[in-house]
Amino acid sequence: MQPKQTLTVDEINLSDIEFWTLPPEEREGAFKTLRDERPLAFFDEPEPEGFPPEFRGGGYYAVTRHADILEASRQPELFCSSRGATSIFDTPPEFLEFFGSMINLDDPRHARLRRIVSAGFTPRMLKQVEDSVQRLAAEIVDELIERGDCDFVTEVAARLPLKIICDMMGVPESDYGLVFSRSNVILSMGDPEYIPEGQDIPTALLTAGAELAGLVQDLGAYRREHPTDDLTSALVNASVDGDQLDQAELGSFFILLVVAGNETTRNAVSHTLQLLTEHPEQRAMWAADYDRLAPVAVEEIVRWASPVIWMRRTATRDATLGGRSIKEGDKLLLFYNSGNRDEAVFDDPFTFDLRRTPNDHVGFGGPGPHFCLGAHLARREITVMWRELLHRVPDIRMTAEPDRLRSSFINGIKHLPCTFSR
Ligand code: HEM
């Protein structure tokens, strides 16, 4: 793919949702223009869809160069997360109960939570999960083969990450459907497929949050009395230095896990189908030497897909970034998708190359305390799922263009029809 620079720098408006519906090569072209001509461009904030207009703040800087993303990520005391990392407007207090987990906190509260929940991401825990990843991936492909041509997103990509998180936490299978639909609402960003036109968005988000929190809090209460080796038991039973999560922290951590670990991995797996369909030579090369290439290939998939488009930071005092002045209170959106195409860091950034090394992408965030907690797990999931697919349905391919999520935050594919020879 080659970027098309159809917009002048003054015509680019990242706050206009229509921008995010442009063809990918035109969006890539616009980010190239920003990196070249205005790497710290200022934008007015979009209307906070569904929220009262007073939520709209004074605007934000779009950080589009790789070096500036690293510089901001490395200085969390200067560019903080606690005024909101996942929304452009400041998080309203009533939302913090469900959406105030560590991704939206700074140290020392962030460090405390991260220390406790890291118990779930130790090599021992991950080894345990790995067996489930393999078993579940095999089951998903069994069912795919039985079903035949279908929507790859709903029947394949969406199922593994959700099951893994539920499995890790010990959520019973009968509740998987509820977890799936409520996490879609939370990440939908108002996409009408998930929150019907006319429905009040804040209420829909809070209701979905309350239902997910309630589910895991009931489970936590039970696990306090009846512990098993699942992550919920570890989190509520003071296994880590005598510290444990309280009910509210358990609820918001679960919501963070289902939203952070679910859509992201699902989209990486779905984008891979599109990429392998469009690049048959890359598919053949990977299939011929799957396990040796996988560690490098997965990084290229995450670079290319950039499932999380941005995270926000806010300046805690006057500062500079990339040599430019920033004022206290200024908001920065770190555009990982743009950092991942930066010509200063990547040779031929618009070439999808499963053998790319080095590959210093920022798809899992920049270096700093919030670097993706689930990065190892995500890499395993993508590797195992695609090993199973290329082994058992080697010619699986998409049959129509992806139906993309209307969002500036998540590079999502909602539907992707697929076919394969049985
Ligand atoms: C391809 C898949 C994934 C991508 C692209 C991704 C990307 C990201 C990004 C960009 C961040 C923010 C980094 C920052 O602010 O500096 C993040 C944070 C996080 N991710 Fe992931 N993620 C993925 C999968 C997962 C999975 C599978 C899980 C868990 C099951 C997970 C759990 C988290 C958590 C808990 C945080 C917050 C960490 C903190 O604030 O300390 N992610 N991820």
PDB file of all heavy atoms in Angstrom, residues 55-68:
ATOM      1  N   PHE A  55     -18.727  18.750  28.461  1.00  0.00           N
ATOM      2  CA  PHE A  55     -17.608  17.808  28.575  1.00  0.00           C
ATOM      3  C   PHE A  55     -16.489  18.141  27.591  1.00  0.00           C
ATOM      4  O   PHE A  55     -15.357  17.731  27.755  1.00  0.00           O
ATOM      5  CB  PHE A  55     -18.077  16.371  28.296  1.00  0.00           C
ATOM      6  CG  PHE A  55     -18.717  15.738  29.484  1.00  0.00           C
ATOM      7  CD1 PHE A  55     -20.075  15.848  29.694  1.00  0.00           C
ATOM      8  CD2 PHE A  55     -17.955  15.045  30.408  1.00  0.00           C
ATOM      9  CE1 PHE A  55     -20.673  15.283  30.797  1.00  0.00           C
ATOM     10  CE2 PHE A  55     -18.555  14.473  31.516  1.00  0.00           C
ATOM     11  CZ  PHE A  55     -19.919  14.595  31.714  1.00  0.00           C
ATOM     12  N   ARG A  56     -16.877  18.879  26.554  1.00  0.00           N
ATOM     13  CA  ARG A  56     -15.900  19.173  25.519  1.00  0.00           C
ATOM     14  C   ARG A  56     -14.836  20.123  26.061  1.00  0.00           C
ATOM     15  O   ARG A  56     -15.157  21.186  26.566  1.00  0.00           O
ATOM     16  CB  ARG A  56     -16.647  19.817  24.354  1.00  0.00           C
ATOM     17  CG  ARG A  56     -15.834  19.920  23.111  1.00  0.00           C
ATOM     18  CD  ARG A  56     -16.739  20.378  22.001  1.00  0.00           C
ATOM     19  NE  ARG A  56     -16.010  20.483  20.771  1.00  0.00           N
ATOM     20  CZ  ARG A  56     -16.489  21.100  19.711  1.00  0.00           C
ATOM     21  NH1 ARG A  56     -17.685  21.633  19.734  1.00  0.00           N
ATOM     22  NH2 ARG A  56     -15.768  21.159  18.625  1.00  0.00           N
ATOM     23  N   GLY A  57     -13.586  19.723  25.963  1.00  0.00           N
ATOM     24  CA  GLY A  57     -12.499  20.537  26.496  1.00  0.00           C
ATOM     25  C   GLY A  57     -11.912  21.442  25.431  1.00  0.00           C
ATOM     26  O   GLY A  57     -12.492  21.646  24.357  1.00  0.00           O
ATOM     27  N   GLY A  58     -10.723  21.970  25.728  1.00  0.00           N
ATOM     28  CA  GLY A  58     -10.143  22.999  24.879  1.00  0.00           C
ATOM     29  C   GLY A  58      -9.328  22.508  23.705  1.00  0.00           C
ATOM     30  O   GLY A  58      -8.699  23.307  23.018  1.00  0.00           O
ATOM     31  N   GLY A  59      -9.290  21.226  23.464  1.00  0.00           N
ATOM     32  CA  GLY A  59      -8.544  20.729  22.306  1.00  0.00           C
ATOM     33  C   GLY A  59      -7.381  19.847  22.725  1.00  0.00           C
ATOM     34  O   GLY A  59      -7.140  19.639  23.923  1.00  0.00           O
ATOM     35  N   TYR A  60      -6.660  19.324  21.744  1.00  0.00           N
ATOM     36  CA  TYR A  60      -5.541  18.409  22.033  1.00  0.00           C
ATOM     37  C   TYR A  60      -4.481  18.509  20.941  1.00  0.00           C
ATOM     38  O   TYR A  60      -4.753  18.958  19.824  1.00  0.00           O
ATOM     39  CB  TYR A  60      -6.033  16.949  22.127  1.00  0.00           C
ATOM     40  CG  TYR A  60      -6.666  16.434  20.850  1.00  0.00           C
ATOM     41  CD1 TYR A  60      -5.900  15.828  19.857  1.00  0.00           C
ATOM     42  CD2 TYR A  60      -8.038  16.556  20.631  1.00  0.00           C
ATOM     43  CE1 TYR A  60      -6.471  15.370  18.682  1.00  0.00           C
ATOM     44  CE2 TYR A  60      -8.622  16.101  19.463  1.00  0.00           C
ATOM     45  CZ  TYR A  60      -7.823  15.504  18.486  1.00  0.00           C
ATOM     46  OH  TYR A  60      -8.387  15.055  17.321  1.00  0.00           O
ATOM     47  N   TYR A  61      -3.283  18.099  21.309  1.00  0.00           N
ATOM     48  CA  TYR A  61      -2.203  17.968  20.326  1.00  0.00           C
ATOM     49  C   TYR A  61      -2.149  16.520  19.851  1.00  0.00           C
ATOM     50  O   TYR A  61      -2.200  15.596  20.667  1.00  0.00           O
ATOM     51  CB  TYR A  61      -0.851  18.325  20.947  1.00  0.00           C
ATOM     52  CG  TYR A  61      -0.678  19.810  21.178  1.00  0.00           C
ATOM     53  CD1 TYR A  61      -0.901  20.355  22.441  1.00  0.00           C
ATOM     54  CD2 TYR A  61      -0.316  20.648  20.134  1.00  0.00           C
ATOM     55  CE1 TYR A  61      -0.756  21.726  22.649  1.00  0.00           C
ATOM     56  CE2 TYR A  61      -0.182  22.018  20.339  1.00  0.00           C
ATOM     57  CZ  TYR A  61      -0.405  22.541  21.589  1.00  0.00           C
ATOM     58  OH  TYR A  61      -0.272  23.892  21.793  1.00  0.00           O
ATOM     59  N   ALA A  62      -2.014  16.347  18.556  1.00  0.00           N
ATOM     60  CA  ALA A  62      -1.834  15.000  17.992  1.00  0.00           C
ATOM     61  C   ALA A  62      -0.338  14.748  17.854  1.00  0.00           C
ATOM     62  O   ALA A  62       0.342  15.421  17.074  1.00  0.00           O
ATOM     63  CB  ALA A  62      -2.509  14.908  16.629  1.00  0.00           C
ATOM     64  N   VAL A  63       0.166  13.794  18.645  1.00  0.00           N
ATOM     65  CA  VAL A  63       1.592  13.466  18.614  1.00  0.00           C
ATOM     66  C   VAL A  63       1.762  12.357  17.573  1.00  0.00           C
ATOM     67  O   VAL A  63       1.264  11.246  17.764  1.00  0.00           O
ATOM     68  CB  VAL A  63       2.070  12.981  20.007  1.00  0.00           C
ATOM     69  CG1 VAL A  63       3.560  12.680  20.003  1.00  0.00           C
ATOM     70  CG2 VAL A  63       1.726  14.021  21.075  1.00  0.00           C
ATOM     71  N   THR A  64       2.427  12.664  16.470  1.00  0.00           N
ATOM     72  CA  THR A  64       2.425  11.712  15.352  1.00  0.00           C
ATOM     73  C   THR A  64       3.795  11.116  15.042  1.00  0.00           C
ATOM     74  O   THR A  64       3.886  10.170  14.264  1.00  0.00           O
ATOM     75  CB  THR A  64       1.858  12.388  14.082  1.00  0.00           C
ATOM     76  OG1 THR A  64       2.481  13.662  13.922  1.00  0.00           O
ATOM     77  CG2 THR A  64       0.351  12.566  14.191  1.00  0.00           C
ATOM     78  N   ARG A  65       4.872  11.677  15.631  1.00  0.00           N
ATOM     79  CA  ARG A  65       6.193  11.094  15.357  1.00  0.00           C
ATOM     80  C   ARG A  65       6.564  10.081  16.431  1.00  0.00           C
ATOM     81  O   ARG A  65       6.308  10.299  17.619  1.00  0.00           O
ATOM     82  CB  ARG A  65       7.270  12.185  15.322  1.00  0.00           C
ATOM     83  CG  ARG A  65       7.256  12.965  14.037  1.00  0.00           C
ATOM     84  CD  ARG A  65       8.496  13.848  13.948  1.00  0.00           C
ATOM     85  NE  ARG A  65       8.405  14.679  12.756  1.00  0.00           N
ATOM     86  CZ  ARG A  65       9.071  15.818  12.600  1.00  0.00           C
ATOM     87  NH1 ARG A  65       9.881  16.252  13.552  1.00  0.00           N
ATOM     88  NH2 ARG A  65       8.945  16.516  11.489  1.00  0.00           N
ATOM     89  N   HIS A  66       7.231   9.018  16.000  1.00  0.00           N
ATOM     90  CA  HIS A  66       7.647   7.934  16.880  1.00  0.00           C
ATOM     91  C   HIS A  66       8.474   8.470  18.055  1.00  0.00           C
ATOM     92  O   HIS A  66       8.205   8.147  19.219  1.00  0.00           O
ATOM     93  CB  HIS A  66       8.462   6.945  16.035  1.00  0.00           C
ATOM     94  CG  HIS A  66       8.785   5.648  16.693  1.00  0.00           C
ATOM     95  ND1 HIS A  66       9.880   5.492  17.516  1.00  0.00           N
ATOM     96  CD2 HIS A  66       8.188   4.432  16.649  1.00  0.00           C
ATOM     97  CE1 HIS A  66       9.938   4.235  17.930  1.00  0.00           C
ATOM     98  NE2 HIS A  66       8.923   3.569  17.429  1.00  0.00           N
ATOM     99  N   ALA A  67       9.460   9.328  17.757  1.00  0.00           N
ATOM    100  CA  ALA A  67      10.372   9.811  18.816  1.00  0.00           C
ATOM    101  C   ALA A  67       9.593  10.581  19.882  1.00  0.00           C
ATOM    102  O   ALA A  67       9.883  10.467  21.076  1.00  0.00           O
ATOM    103  CB  ALA A  67      11.450  10.702  18.209  1.00  0.00           C
ATOM    104  N   ASP A  68       8.598  11.353  19.459  1.00  0.00           N
ATOM    105  CA  ASP A  68       7.826  12.153  20.433  1.00  0.00           C
ATOM    106  C   ASP A  68       6.915  11.249  21.278  1.00  0.00           C
ATOM    107  O   ASP A  68       6.667  11.536  22.458  1.00  0.00           O
ATOM    108  CB  ASP A  68       6.994  13.214  19.701  1.00  0.00           C
ATOM    109  CG  ASP A  68       7.877  14.236  18.988  1.00  0.00           C
ATOM    110  OD1 ASP A  68       9.078  14.322  19.327  1.00  0.00           O
ATOM    111  OD2 ASP A  68       7.371  14.935  18.092  1.00  0.00           O
TER     112      ASP A  68
END
